[in-house]
Amino acid sequence: MKLINRIVCFTLVCLGAWSCSDADDEQSDTLLSYLNTMSFENGGVIACAASDQNTNAILTFYYPEPGATDIRFYETNTTDVDPNDFSNYQQILIESEPFFNGYLGRFTQLDAHGKWIVITFELQGDIKVSNPIRSKQITKPTVWNDAVIIDQSQPGMPEFTWTDNAYGDNAIYFQVVSNSNNDLVSGTYTYDNTFQFYNTDNVVLNVTRQAPSSLVGGQEYNFTLMDVSEDNWVNWVILKTFEVL
């Protein structure tokens, strides 16, 4: 009888250990478990997401600072969770692709459900973590258009103006001027619905790594605008090709 009891106890201990190990494995790919491995900076990654105008796929954009490594994509199962609870996020193994020839990065997903998204990368011994992004590809698809006024009265320094808060829920505007090769020339953020290249008086955040020269007359450039909400969803995108006078 003692032998049987010992066998039963040993079996229960093994089963318990297996269950704990299995539970640990299930939690090992959460954002919380990753952040427990080293120091991290919350809000250290600039990121937002939009829906594709043709496929309605989720396009998650981010700015990888020079030297960034181990770029990761995390998401929740639904939007009905606390977006600031890192244990709700699981790592998803999808490949990032270059955007503006690698100045920015982009993840593309087809998904029929809303969720929260977080992008991370490692830099100088820390994990940088984006603010949560709420996907709204079903409830509020991104509107794409070319509705921008371009004032070129000042040579080489066009001024761009667009409708303020056209689709509601605006928190900030992100503007990119790129050349005909799609290289990013400037990347800036404003609260205002106007930006003059390259006047930073109203710029509140700048990802331009060095001040560019004036735009060259007779050359084609592209203007891209993202209207970003408080929860980092892009309400609308402006894409406009123009020739500098």
Side-chain angles (χ1 to χ4, degrees):
M1 182 65 68
K2 289 182 179 180
L3 178 60
I4 293 174
N5 287 340
R6 288 176 182 174
I7 292 173
V8 170
C9 289
F10 177 76
T11 302
L12 290 174
V13 168
C14 289
L15 287 173
W18 178 85
S19 297
C20 291
S21 175
D22 185 58
D24 289 342
D25 288 343
E26 290 178 354
Q27 297 300 314
S28 64
D29 58 351
T30 66
L31 178 55
L32 179 62
S33 66
Y34 177 43
L35 297 182
N36 284 334
T37 64
M38 66 178 78
S39 60
F40 68 92
E41 179 189 353
N42 202 11
V45 178
I46 300 171
C48 61
S51 58
D52 184 86
Q53 59 183 329
N54 298 315
T55 65
N56 214 35
I58 304 171
L59 309 175
T60 303
F61 306 96
Y62 65 94
Y63 172 59
E65 295 184 50
T69 61
D70 196 9
I71 299 166
R72 299 190 182 191
F73 184 101
Y74 287 87
E75 67 179 28
T76 63
N77 289 326
T78 71
T79 56
D80 297 326
V81 296
D82 180 358
N84 298 307
D85 182 348
F86 296 139
S87 66
N88 289 323
Y89 293 86
Q90 299 285 329
Q91 184 181 7
I92 306 299
L93 300 178
I94 59 174
E95 291 294 325
S96 171
E97 59 186 340
F99 191 57
F100 292 116
N101 292 324
Y103 203 103
L104 304 181
R106 182 177 69 186
F107 292 95
T108 302
Q109 291 178 296
L110 281 171
D111 200 316
H113 304 286
K115 57 192 174 185
W116 291 96
I117 296 167
V118 162
I119 305 300
T120 70
F121 57 68
E122 295 182 16
L123 183 67
Q124 299 177 345
D126 289 337
I127 302 172
K128 306 292 185 179
V129 186
S130 76
N131 290 322
I133 304 163
R134 182 169 184 166
S135 70
K136 302 177 185 176
Q137 76 280 14
I138 305 301
T139 59
K140 194 175 185 181
T142 304
V143 177
W144 296 69
N145 63 82
D146 63 355
V148 59
I149 298 171
I150 305 176
D151 179 355
Q152 298 202 57
S153 57
Q154 189 167 346
M157 297 182 66
E159 184 173 7
F160 307 92
T161 304
W162 54 91
T163 303
D164 192 22
N165 200 21
Y167 291 91
D169 196 26
N170 171 261
I172 201 167
Y173 297 108
F174 178 44
Q175 310 93 27
V176 171
V177 175
S178 56
N179 62 24
S180 57
N181 294 323
N182 207 32
D183 299 315
L184 186 144
V185 179
S186 72
T188 52
Y189 286 81
T190 67
Y191 293 131
D192 303 325
N193 62 317
T194 185
F195 167 71
Q196 182 180 22
F197 183 92
Y198 178 70
N199 183 344
T200 59
D201 286 351
N202 68 337
V203 171
V204 294
L205 182 61
N206 198 343
V207 297
T208 312
R209 292 171 190 161
Q210 62 182 40
S213 304
S214 297
L215 302 184
V216 179
Q219 298 292 315
E220 280 197 347
Y221 292 87
N222 306 299
F223 177 73
T224 304
L225 174 88
M226 296 185 185
D227 171 335
V228 185
S229 66
E230 186 70 30
D231 50 16
N232 298 300
W233 180 251
V234 177
N235 297 314
W236 67 315
V237 175
I238 292 173
L239 296 175
K240 182 75 171 182
T241 298
F242 66 97
E243 182 178 321
V244 175
L245 302 180

